[in-house]
C-alpha cells in the first residue's frame, strides 16, 4: 500500500527499532511507496512512511532491494556529495563513501554481507542514516 511521506524532523530523528520477518508488510508498503515516487526518489527508509523499523528499500542495478537491519561494517573512498530527500526540503552536503560493506538480513531473516559501490552505496548510506536518526 502506498503510504504518506513523513516530514516531522522529531520523528525522523529517532533511531529505528530492529526489524524481523513479521515486518514483511512494512517492507511491501515501503516498496509500493518507493515505486510510486520513482520519478524523484531512489531509496526510502521505513521511518519515512511512519514506521520506526530498521528497514530500507533502494533502487539497485538488479531492481529494488530490501534490507532489514542494515549496518555498514566498512567504508572506503570518501567523497563529498549533495543529496535531497522526500522527507526534508532542500539539498544538503554530506560525506559519503565509494565502497561500503553492509551486514543485513533479507525480509525472510536470512543474514547477508555484501559490498556495494557507487550510486547504490550512496543510496544505502543515506537510508542507513535515516535508520540511525541522522538528518543531513
Amino acid at each position: 500500500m502506498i503510504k504518506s511521506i513523513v516530514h516531522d524532523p522529531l520523528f525522523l530523528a529517532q533511531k529505528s527499532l530492529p526489524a524481523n520477518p513479521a515486518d514483511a508488510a512494512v517492507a511491501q508498503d515501503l516498496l509500493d511507496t518507493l515505486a510510486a515516487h520513482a520519478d524523484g526518489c531512489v531509496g526510502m527508509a521505513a521511518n519515512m512512511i511512519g514506521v520506526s523499523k530498521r528497514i530500507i528499500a533502494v533502487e539497485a542495478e538488479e531492481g529494488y532491494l530490501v534490507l532489514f537491519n542494515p549496518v555498514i561494517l566498512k567504508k572506503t573512498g570518501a567523497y563529498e556529495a549533495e543529496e535531497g530527500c522526500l522527507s526534508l526540503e532542500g539539498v544538503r552536503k554530506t560525506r559519503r563513501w565509494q565502497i561500503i560493506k553492509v551486514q543485513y538480513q533479507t525480509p525472510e531473516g536470512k543474514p547477508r554481507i555484501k559490498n556495494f559501490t557507487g550510486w547504490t552505496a550512496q543510496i544505502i548510506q543515506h537510508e542507513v542514516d535515516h535508520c540511525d536518526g541522522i538528518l543531513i
Side-chain angles (χ1 to χ4, degrees), residues 1-7 33 37 44 46-50 87:
M1 176 182 297
I2 299 169
K3 299 290 189 172
S4 297
I5 303 298
V6 172
H7 300 283
T33 306
H37 293 278
M44 296 184 82
N47 65 354
M48 293 175 66
I49 60 169
S87 288

Side-chain angles (χ1 to χ4, degrees), residues 37-71:
H37 293 278
D39 60 334
C41 185
V42 292
M44 296 184 82
N47 65 354
M48 293 175 66
I49 60 169
V51 180
S52 188
K53 290 287 187 156
R54 200 168 177 86
I55 305 170
I56 67 173
V58 299
E59 186 179 286
E61 293 81 20
E62 62 274 1
Y64 290 122
L65 181 61
V66 176
L67 290 72
F68 278 40
N69 304 310
V71 175

Side-chain angles (χ1 to χ4, degrees), residues 42-43 56 58-59 61 72 79-84 91-100 102 116-130 136:
V42 292
I56 67 173
V58 299
E59 186 179 286
E61 293 81 20
I72 298 171
Y79 66 96
E80 297 300 316
E82 289 188 354
E83 298 174 351
V91 175
R92 292 161 187 78
K93 291 185 180 200
T94 188
R95 173 177 272 193
R96 294 295 181 215
W97 304 89
Q98 194 61 240
I99 303 168
I100 58 172
V102 182
F116 295 93
T117 61
W119 181 236
T120 302
Q122 184 174 341
I123 299 166
I124 291 171
Q125 290 169 80
H126 181 100
E127 303 314 332
V128 168
D129 280 353
H130 270 290
I136 60 149

